[in-house]
Amino acid sequence: MFQIIGIVLLFVCVFGVYLIHGGKLDVIIKAAPYEIAMILGAGIAALLIGNSTNVIKGVASGMGKIFAGPKWKATDYRDLLSLLFLLTKTMKAKGVIALESHIENPQDSTLFGRFPRIQKDHFAVDFICDTLRMMTMNLEDPHQVEDAMEKQLEKHHHEALGPAHALQNMADALPALGIVAAVLGVIKTMGSITEPPAVLGGMIGSALVGTFLGVFLAYGLVGPFATRLNAIVEEESAFYRIIQSVLVAHLHGNAAQISVEIGRGSVPSMTQPTFAELEEALQAIPPEG
């Protein structure tokens, strides 16, 4: 919602004030389709040249995220803490072997199945299962497990930030591409140097539209899109950090309730459940079987 409001405000402030100040939109309207096609087209081409297929797909899907916001909502964080509570409680009571069937086939697991949104996230499920699998192989040193989890998180986070970095690189390139468009406009103008001043003035104005649009698109739209996408990725990464916090706390010998309370502290403030809300969610978990 705020992104749409911001875009509307951007156009009102730039073009509205320009009109109030006595500016004319005729030259801009006439030149804009060609200049936008040249500048934005060149920017997209540079994006395609400089990035892998996965990053390009991430940019496309990331545009939806920019307006929809982070994937994980407050209920998802409560569900994650509830799932981790069940896992750590079972491990305390019955050992890691009791979770073997859930680890090997999480998509058919009745335990994971209670939380379908988490079950559909391949990285979250694989991250949990891989860590539990390490525990079944007697890797129970909390520091070694934490280090292994940290490396997985860093790799995932680096890959998730790829689309935001690609968008930012595109934003950085747009002003220069606007200058390219303006220079081509000047070349065209110089080829018509014998035309009267009124015609030359319009041609020079059209050329300058390229510089304007390159800077406008870079700092008004594409740059803020990249910043917003980066912020969303950073917030979503907290979801996976909670998994690390809870499972490492469990390995340090804490009770299931204490482990998930430690994880609750890693939840972003805007979506963090209170102690009472988490307690209520844990008590509402139906007994297995």
Side-chain angles (χ1 to χ4, degrees):
M1 174 60 73
F2 283 110
Q3 285 68 44
I4 295 174
I5 293 172
I7 290 171
V8 172
L9 186 61
L10 171 70
F11 278 86
V12 169
C13 289
V14 173
F15 293 102
V17 173
Y18 171 73
L19 287 172
I20 292 171
H21 197 257
K24 305 293 184 182
L25 288 177
D26 297 355
V27 175
I28 296 176
I29 291 172
K30 184 177 178 181
Y34 306 101
E35 300 293 338
I36 289 175
M38 185 184 299
I39 298 166
L40 204 54
I44 293 171
L47 183 75
L48 296 175
I49 292 168
N51 295 282
S52 66
T53 303
N54 287 338
V55 171
I56 294 166
K57 289 179 179 178
V59 171
S61 61
M63 295 306 294
K65 276 188 176 185
I66 289 167
F67 294 95
K71 173 182 179 180
W72 305 112
K73 310 302 179 186
T75 53
D76 297 315
Y77 285 99
R78 286 200 297 271
D79 285 349
L80 177 63
L81 291 169
S82 298
L83 170 61
L84 293 170
F85 174 79
L86 285 174
L87 292 170
T88 53
K89 185 179 179 182
T90 302
M91 283 189 284
K92 277 286 184 185
K94 304 177 183 178
V96 182
I97 301 301
L99 296 173
E100 189 170 354
S101 61
H102 300 286
I103 296 170
E104 297 305 324
N105 196 6
Q107 297 308 316
D108 293 329
S109 165
T110 55
L111 219 165
F112 283 96
R114 297 183 184 188
F115 311 100
R117 272 180 57 81
I118 299 174
Q119 190 179 35
K120 290 177 183 177
D121 188 282
H122 295 296
F123 179 74
V125 172
D126 290 345
F127 190 44
I128 293 171
C129 292
D130 288 347
T131 304
L132 296 178
R133 197 174 289 112
M134 282 191 291
M135 295 180 191
T136 64
M137 295 186 291
N138 294 322
L139 181 59
E140 296 182 349
D141 182 342
H143 301 293
Q144 282 185 293
V145 172
E146 186 173 15
D147 185 57
M149 296 178 82
E150 186 66 33
K151 289 177 181 177
Q152 280 187 275
L153 287 173
E154 285 179 0
K155 182 185 77 169
H156 180 266
H157 190 58
H158 175 75
E159 293 171 351
L161 282 174
H165 290 159
L167 264 183
Q168 186 58 57
N169 288 337
M170 180 179 172
D172 293 341
L174 286 175
L177 293 173
I179 293 172
V180 170
V183 169
L184 290 174
V186 171
I187 293 171
K188 178 183 175 184
T189 302
M190 295 305 292
S192 305
I193 197 67
T194 57
E195 296 291 335
V199 175
L200 290 176
M203 295 178 73
I204 293 171
S206 296
L208 292 175
V209 169
T211 302
F212 159 70
L213 287 176
V215 176
F216 177 77
L217 291 171
Y219 296 108
L221 291 172
V222 181
F225 284 166
T227 300
R228 173 62 177 158
L229 185 56
N230 186 86
I232 289 171
V233 171
E234 292 289 349
E235 183 173 332
E236 289 183 346
S237 70
F239 192 82
Y240 308 113
R241 290 282 175 190
I242 293 166
I243 298 171
Q244 181 189 34
S245 298
V246 173
L247 295 183
V248 171
H250 165 78
L251 281 176
H252 278 290
N254 292 294
Q257 184 77 45
I258 300 299
S259 296
V260 296
E261 180 59 26
I262 290 172
R264 186 181 73 86
S266 300
V267 177
S269 299
M270 295 296 293
T271 51
Q272 185 182 52
T274 64
F275 179 86
E277 288 171 340
L278 178 58
E279 186 72 20
E280 184 180 349
L282 298 181
Q283 290 176 357
I285 299 174
E288 191 169 5

